[in-house]
């Protein structure tokens, strides 16, 4: 019976289960440690009732022209929340007062989707002036991207405010790198209140999207100075990727799918790839080098419903990191600049 449930109906059931378990009003600790009872799932129901449809249409219109944008918006949300909390700081342009996150090494020439969020924000401002924060729009757009790609629905608490500053230094220090060992990445997650299960689950977002050759090319030719490819990467995958990314600097910005089996479909094929030693990024394949994370990878590779449920749960956790309330933030008129 369970196997006959469609992806859409399963996602709907999953959402209902979450909503039955979670309070409609979240007693959520804000950035100053105070409990904010106004941060909730229905926050904009009265003040901006069309918000959901505006975001849905904005993401759909962008997705129709560029299927890569779904992964880009999800990544933008992750890179925002992982640096000093979810505050839309990644959307801020540099000013005379600070160097922002857009040009930090993990984001420079790779983070995408800024113009999509700005466009949605402009439409939201027309319908509901000075009402909806950019951080909430980004979170909603990321969820819509997951849904459009076939992934699960998950509930979002809304009502958080936009940050007043951004930090290139913080982005360089806090964002995980595809070149880092698993223990470093796990430590960075732990510093945010996320555990090793969240590492494995949120890495599953790599079921959609692309990576530039420079982020994995050392695995193909001279891994850690050995003069040979990474032994954890399947030899046939090495040959294919060497064709896409020849050992020349000119290939550094070329793209390869993170999940070649289902590049634009949000599913559990990412984990199947890891089991088969065809994970693209070094940090992804490293999940098979640790017994605890390897067991989780194996479980998700054989059970897409388990992955969907756990991904929804981890996204709820991540989307609640460091939410700003009260005088700690504002509702920006434009996402790229502080009012």
């Amino acid at each position: 019976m369970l196997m006959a449930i469609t992806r859409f109906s399963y996602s709907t059931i999953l959402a209902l289960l979450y909503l039955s378990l979670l309070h409609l009003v979240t007693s959520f600790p804000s950035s100053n440690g105070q409990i904010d009872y106004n941060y909730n799932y229905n926050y904009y129901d009265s003040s901006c009732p069309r918000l959901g449809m505006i975001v849905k249409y904005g993401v759909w219109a962008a997705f129709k022209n560029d299927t890569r944008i779904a992964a880009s918006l999800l990544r933008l949300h992750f890179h925002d929340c992982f640096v000093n909390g979810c505050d839309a700081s990644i959307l801020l342009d540099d000013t005379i007062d600070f160097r922002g996150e857009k040009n930090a090494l993990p984001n420079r020439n790779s983070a995408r989707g800024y113009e999509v969020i700005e466009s949605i924000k402009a439409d939201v401002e027309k319908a509901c002036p000075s009402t909806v924060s950019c951080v909430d729009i980004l979170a909603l757009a990321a969820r819509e991207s997951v849904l459009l790609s076939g992934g699960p629905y998950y509930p979002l608490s809304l009502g958080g405010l936009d940050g007043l500053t951004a930090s290139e230094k913080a982005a360089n220090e806090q964002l995980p790198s595809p070149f880092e060992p698993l223990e470093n990445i796990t430590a960075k997650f732990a510093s945010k209140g996320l555990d090793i299960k969240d590492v494995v689950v949120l890495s599953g977002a790599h079921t959609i999207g692309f990576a530039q050759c420079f982020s994995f090319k050392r695995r193909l030719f001279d891994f850690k100075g050995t003069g040979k490819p990474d032994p954890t990467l399947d030899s046939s995958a090495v040959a294919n990727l060497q064709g896409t990314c020849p050992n020349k600097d000119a290939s550094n910005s070329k793209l390869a799918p993170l999940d070649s089996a289902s590049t634009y479909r949000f599913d559990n094929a990412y984990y199947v790839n890891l089991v088969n030693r065809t994970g693209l990024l070094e940090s992804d394949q490293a999940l098979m080098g640790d017994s605890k994370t390897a067991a989780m990878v194996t479980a998700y590779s054989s059970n897409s419903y388990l992955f969907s449920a756990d991904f929804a749960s981890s996204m709820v956790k991540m989307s609640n990191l460091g939410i700003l309330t009260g005088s700690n933030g504002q509702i920006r008129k434009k996402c790229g600049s502080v009012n």
Side-chain angles (χ1 to χ4, degrees):
M1 177 68 180
L2 181 62
M3 294 304 292
I5 297 175
T6 66
R7 184 185 300 273
F8 177 79
S9 60
Y10 177 76
S11 298
T12 303
I13 291 170
L14 185 65
L16 293 173
L17 284 172
Y18 268 111
L19 290 173
S20 69
L21 292 172
L22 298 170
H23 296 296
L24 285 178
V25 177
T26 307
S27 55
F28 184 80
S30 66
S31 60
N32 60 10
Q34 301 297 311
I35 298 297
D36 180 18
Y37 291 95
N38 293 318
Y39 184 67
N40 65 77
Y41 303 120
N42 303 319
Y43 189 82
Y44 296 111
D45 281 6
S46 297
S47 59
C48 195
R50 292 179 52 223
L51 173 62
M53 290 305 299
I54 294 172
V55 174
K56 185 185 293 288
Y57 176 77
V59 174
W60 176 83
F63 184 78
K64 183 180 178 183
N65 293 323
D66 175 15
T67 48
R68 281 182 61 203
I69 201 64
S72 297
L73 291 173
L74 181 56
R75 182 173 185 258
L76 204 61
H77 178 45
F78 177 88
H79 280 214
D80 178 47
C81 291
F82 221 81
V83 181
N84 298 330
C86 306
D87 59 359
S89 56
I90 194 172
L91 305 177
L92 288 173
D93 296 322
D94 292 353
T95 72
I96 58 172
D97 297 316
F98 62 79
R99 290 177 59 85
E101 297 162 29
K102 286 185 176 182
N103 287 310
L105 291 175
N107 298 325
R108 188 185 307 160
N109 299 320
S110 65
R112 305 170 69 244
Y114 299 110
E115 72 289 345
V116 176
I117 300 301
E118 203 67 75
S119 177
I120 294 172
K121 172 63 171 173
D123 289 340
V124 170
E125 282 296 303
K126 292 175 185 176
C128 321
S130 301
T131 301
V132 182
S133 63
C134 295
V135 68
D136 282 347
I137 289 172
L138 179 54
L140 288 167
R143 182 177 69 183
E144 194 61 35
S145 296
V146 172
L147 288 168
L148 269 176
S149 303
Y153 175 91
Y154 50 91
L156 284 171
S157 294
L158 301 171
L161 297 178
D162 299 322
L164 305 177
T165 188
S167 171
E168 178 181 21
K169 181 175 182 290
N172 283 330
E173 292 174 350
Q174 296 177 29
L175 286 170
S177 160
F179 309 110
E180 286 186 286
L182 180 59
E183 55 265 32
N184 287 22
I185 293 173
T186 302
K188 287 184 175 182
F189 271 69
S191 72
K192 309 297 178 184
L194 301 172
D195 58 29
I196 195 166
K197 181 178 179 181
D198 296 312
V199 173
V200 178
V201 172
L202 293 175
S203 294
H206 288 169
T207 182
I208 55 175
F210 290 76
Q212 295 184 58
C213 288
F214 82 87
S215 64
F216 60 86
K217 198 161 64 171
R218 78 170 188 170
R219 302 186 71 198
L220 309 180
F221 300 101
D222 185 22
F223 185 64
K224 296 184 177 179
T226 61
K228 299 178 180 179
D230 183 349
T232 67
L233 182 59
D234 178 76
S235 58
S236 61
V238 170
N240 290 334
L241 289 169
Q242 285 176 339
T244 302
C245 304
N247 197 17
K248 300 176 181 178
D249 289 344
S251 72
N252 284 347
S253 60
K254 292 186 69 176
L255 299 174
L258 287 160
D259 171 11
S260 58
S262 56
T263 305
Y264 299 106
R265 187 169 67 249
F266 198 100
D267 56 21
N268 67 329
Y270 162 84
Y271 298 103
V272 176
N273 295 340
L274 298 188
V275 171
N276 293 334
R277 298 174 54 236
T278 58
L280 186 66
L281 301 180
E282 188 179 331
S283 56
D284 287 338
Q285 195 60 51
L287 296 175
M288 290 301 293
D290 174 90
S291 59
K292 189 172 184 178
T293 56
M296 287 185 266
V297 168
T298 302
Y300 293 137
S301 73
S302 60
N303 191 333
S304 61
Y305 298 127
L306 178 64
F307 168 53
S308 290
D310 286 352
F311 183 81
S313 178
S314 288
M315 284 300 292
V316 169
K317 288 174 66 176
M318 191 197 75
S319 299
N320 283 339
L321 294 177
I323 296 298
L324 299 177
T325 57
S327 61
N328 293 306
Q330 63 177 208
I331 295 174
R332 295 182 205 143
K333 298 185 187 305
K334 292 186 177 182
C335 295
S337 59
V338 175
N339 297 342

